Coordinates of all heavy atoms in Angstrom, one line a residue:
I30 N 22.6 -22.0 -120.9 CA 21.5 -21.1 -121.4 C 21.2 -21.5 -122.8 O 20.0 -21.6 -123.2 CB 21.9 -19.6 -121.2 CG1 22.0 -19.2 -119.8 CG2 20.8 -18.8 -121.9 CD1 22.5 -17.8 -119.6
A31 N 22.2 -21.7 -123.6 CA 22.0 -22.0 -125.0 C 21.3 -23.4 -125.2 O 20.3 -23.5 -125.9 CB 23.3 -22.0 -125.8
A32 N 21.8 -24.4 -124.4 CA 21.2 -25.7 -124.5 C 19.8 -25.7 -124.0 O 18.9 -26.4 -124.5 CB 22.1 -26.7 -123.8
G33 N 19.5 -25.0 -122.9 CA 18.2 -25.0 -122.3 C 17.2 -24.3 -123.2 O 16.0 -24.7 -123.1
S34 N 17.6 -23.4 -124.0 CA 16.7 -22.7 -124.9 C 16.5 -23.5 -126.2 O 15.4 -23.4 -126.8 CB 17.1 -21.3 -125.2 OG 18.4 -21.3 -125.8
L35 N 17.5 -24.2 -126.6 CA 17.4 -24.9 -127.9 C 16.8 -26.3 -127.8 O 16.0 -26.7 -128.6 CB 18.9 -25.1 -128.5 CG 19.6 -23.8 -128.9 CD1 21.0 -24.1 -129.4 CD2 18.8 -23.1 -130.1
V36 N 17.1 -27.0 -126.7 CA 16.5 -28.3 -126.5 C 15.9 -28.4 -125.1 O 16.4 -29.2 -124.2 CB 17.6 -29.4 -126.7 CG1 17.9 -29.6 -128.2 CG2 18.9 -29.1 -126.0
P37 N 14.9 -27.6 -124.8 CA 14.4 -27.6 -123.5 C 13.8 -28.9 -123.0 O 13.8 -29.2 -121.8 CB 13.3 -26.5 -123.6 CG 12.9 -26.5 -125.0 CD 14.2 -26.8 -125.7
G38 N 13.3 -29.7 -123.9 CA 12.7 -31.0 -123.5 C 13.6 -31.9 -122.7 O 13.2 -32.6 -121.8
I39 N 14.9 -31.9 -123.1 CA 15.9 -32.8 -122.4 C 16.0 -32.3 -121.0 O 16.0 -33.2 -120.1 CB 17.2 -32.7 -123.2 CG1 17.1 -33.3 -124.6 CG2 18.3 -33.4 -122.4 CD1 18.4 -33.1 -125.4
F40 N 16.1 -31.0 -120.8 CA 16.3 -30.5 -119.4 C 15.1 -30.6 -118.6 O 15.2 -30.6 -117.3 CB 17.0 -29.1 -119.5 CG 18.3 -29.1 -120.1 CD1 18.5 -28.8 -121.5 CD2 19.4 -29.5 -119.4 CE1 19.7 -28.8 -122.1 CE2 20.7 -29.5 -120.0 CZ 20.8 -29.2 -121.3
V41 N 13.9 -30.5 -119.2 CA 12.7 -30.7 -118.5 C 12.6 -32.1 -117.9 O 12.2 -32.3 -116.7 CB 11.4 -30.5 -119.4 CG1 10.2 -30.9 -118.7 CG2 11.3 -29.0 -119.7
S42 N 13.1 -33.1 -118.7 CA 13.1 -34.5 -118.2 C 14.1 -34.6 -117.1 O 13.8 -35.3 -116.1 CB 13.5 -35.4 -119.4 OG 12.5 -35.3 -120.4
I43 N 15.3 -34.0 -117.2 CA 16.3 -34.1 -116.2 C 15.8 -33.4 -114.9 O 16.0 -33.9 -113.8 CB 17.6 -33.5 -116.6 CG1 18.2 -34.3 -117.8 CG2 18.6 -33.5 -115.5 CD1 19.5 -33.6 -118.4
A44 N 15.1 -32.3 -115.0 CA 14.6 -31.5 -113.9 C 13.5 -32.3 -113.2 O 13.3 -32.2 -111.9 CB 14.0 -30.2 -114.3
A45 N 12.8 -33.2 -113.9 CA 11.8 -34.0 -113.3 C 12.3 -35.1 -112.4 O 11.6 -35.7 -111.6 CB 10.9 -34.6 -114.4
L46 N 13.6 -35.4 -112.6 CA 14.2 -36.5 -111.8 C 14.5 -36.0 -110.4 O 15.7 -35.7 -110.0 CB 15.5 -37.0 -112.5 CG 15.2 -37.7 -113.8 CD1 16.6 -38.0 -114.5 CD2 14.4 -38.9 -113.7
E47 N 13.5 -35.8 -109.6 CA 13.8 -35.2 -108.2 C 12.9 -35.9 -107.2 O 11.9 -36.6 -107.5 CB 13.5 -33.7 -108.2 CG 12.0 -33.3 -108.4 CD 11.8 -31.9 -108.2 OE1 12.7 -31.1 -108.5 OE2 10.7 -31.5 -107.8
Y48 N 13.3 -35.8 -106.0 CA 12.6 -36.3 -104.8 C 12.7 -35.3 -103.7 O 13.8 -34.8 -103.4 CB 13.1 -37.7 -104.4 CG 12.4 -38.2 -103.2 CD1 11.2 -38.9 -103.3 CD2 12.9 -38.1 -101.9 CE1 10.5 -39.4 -102.2 CE2 12.2 -38.6 -100.8 CZ 11.0 -39.2 -101.0 OH 10.3 -39.7 -99.9
A49 N 11.5 -34.9 -103.2 CA 11.5 -33.9 -102.1 C 12.2 -32.6 -102.5 O 12.9 -32.0 -101.8 CB 12.1 -34.4 -100.8

Side-chain angles (χ1 to χ4, degrees):
I30 294 174
S34 59
L35 293 174
V36 285
I39 294 175
F40 296 99
V41 168
S42 299
I43 297 175
L46 298 174
E47 66 173 32
Y48 178 79

